[in-house]
Amino acid sequence: MTGLPVPEGTSSAPVDEATEQLVPLTDAELLRAHVGGDRDAFTQLFHRHRDRLWAVALRTVGDREDAADALQDALLSAHRAAARFRGDAAVTTWLHRIVVNACLDRIRRRQAHPTVPLPDGSRTDESGRWPGFEPAAPVADHDTALVVQQALAQLPAEQRAAIILVDVQGYPVAEVAVMLGVAEGTVKSRCARGRARLALILGHLRPRGPAVPAPSRSDKPVPSVTAGNPPPVGGVRSGSGQSGRDGIQEEK
């Protein structure tokens, strides 16, 4: 059986399909596949980044139900807008920007302070719509985690988003600027103002250094004669001095 001619410079060895399938597609390739009609490509893309997207949504909104709704809105927007992705930034940066914008829109519409439930570490929420990927805090840290989340909820939405992306999620300032669609200096300014507010709110959580004990009387040399009790002159003893010494003997 004769095969097709092999071009010069190429190997005639057959391609190992199993090995080829082990190489995962990049984010950009998955997005292009989705635009091209692949029904599974966008699902794969979402599952690849869902943990961090969910964490950003939950911490930004502060409420599990609202975070799930915001994340759902964001993914629907990304699903529909995939054909308009120009590749100016990484796909993950593009996804995070859509998620953050959806969260900020929901906060502005809510017109109320978000509730801050304790993370329970479950893998699905009560509605079953979106899995909860927020790990549960240790029991000893529940109170601290709640206080920190409540403090974040008190920040203006833009400062909160910057703090969460930079300080909590660890993204570089330059990448966060692209996510938020603002200048790097704006991100730095929002972080600085947000940190200052948090420092005031969470000041009571700062570890206090060991108290420095006041010097005791034993730390200082005791003079043989105190300044208020000069020695008697001319060997004359006063009655008050004698009674004082008698009182000391009684205390001993």
Side-chain angles (χ1 to χ4, degrees):
M1 179 176 178
T2 59
L4 295 175
V6 178
E8 294 182 2
T10 61
S11 172
S12 60
V15 176
D16 188 346
E17 295 182 359
T19 303
E20 189 177 38
Q21 292 176 357
L22 292 176
V23 179
L25 296 177
T26 65
D27 292 343
E29 290 171 342
L30 284 174
L31 197 60
R32 285 195 297 267
H34 161 67
V35 174
D38 189 335
R39 296 184 178 181
D40 297 327
F42 192 84
T43 300
Q44 295 179 34
L45 181 63
F46 164 64
H47 281 283
R48 181 177 294 178
H49 302 290
R50 61 183 180 179
D51 289 23
R52 301 198 79 176
L53 293 175
W54 169 253
V56 168
L58 181 60
R59 292 188 174 109
T60 302
V61 178
D63 177 81
R64 295 182 69 86
E65 184 175 354
D66 284 346
D69 290 339
L71 184 56
Q72 184 175 14
D73 293 343
L75 292 177
L76 286 175
S77 297
H79 189 277
R80 296 167 181 168
R84 298 195 297 271
F85 177 71
R86 296 175 299 178
D88 297 338
V91 174
T92 53
T93 303
W94 176 71
L95 288 174
H96 276 77
R97 181 174 184 176
I98 295 176
V99 170
V100 171
N101 286 336
C103 292
L104 296 179
D105 289 342
R106 184 159 292 273
I107 292 173
R108 296 186 188 103
R109 292 197 304 266
R110 188 168 51 189
Q111 297 297 323
H113 292 291
T115 59
V116 189
L118 284 173
D120 57 10
S122 61
R123 284 293 174 180
T124 56
D125 63 8
E126 294 178 358
S127 64
R129 289 173 300 175
W130 292 106
F133 302 100
E134 184 74 2
V139 176
D141 294 336
H142 271 170
D143 291 342
T144 301
L146 178 60
V147 170
V148 172
Q149 290 179 13
Q150 288 175 333
L152 285 171
Q154 296 180 44
L155 297 180
E158 289 76 11
Q159 293 179 17
R160 188 192 319 170
I163 288 286
I164 289 171
L165 291 171
V166 174
D167 293 340
V168 179
Q169 297 299 119
Y171 287 107
V173 171
E175 190 171 353
V176 173
V178 177
M179 292 178 185
L180 300 179
V182 297
E184 292 184 30
T186 303
V187 175
K188 294 178 181 178
S189 176
R190 290 177 181 178
C191 286
R193 294 199 301 270
R195 290 167 188 151
R197 286 173 179 256
L198 289 176
L200 293 176
I201 300 172
L202 301 175
H204 63 284
L205 295 181
R206 293 179 179 175
R208 300 180 182 275
V212 179
S216 63
R217 295 181 181 273
S218 61
D219 295 332
K220 296 181 179 180
V222 180
S224 57
V225 179
T226 61
N229 296 285
V233 179
V236 179
R237 299 171 180 257
S238 65
S240 60
Q242 182 64 38
S243 62
R245 283 192 294 273
D246 294 341
I248 295 175
Q249 294 295 330
E250 291 177 2
E251 290 180 1
K252 292 182 179 179

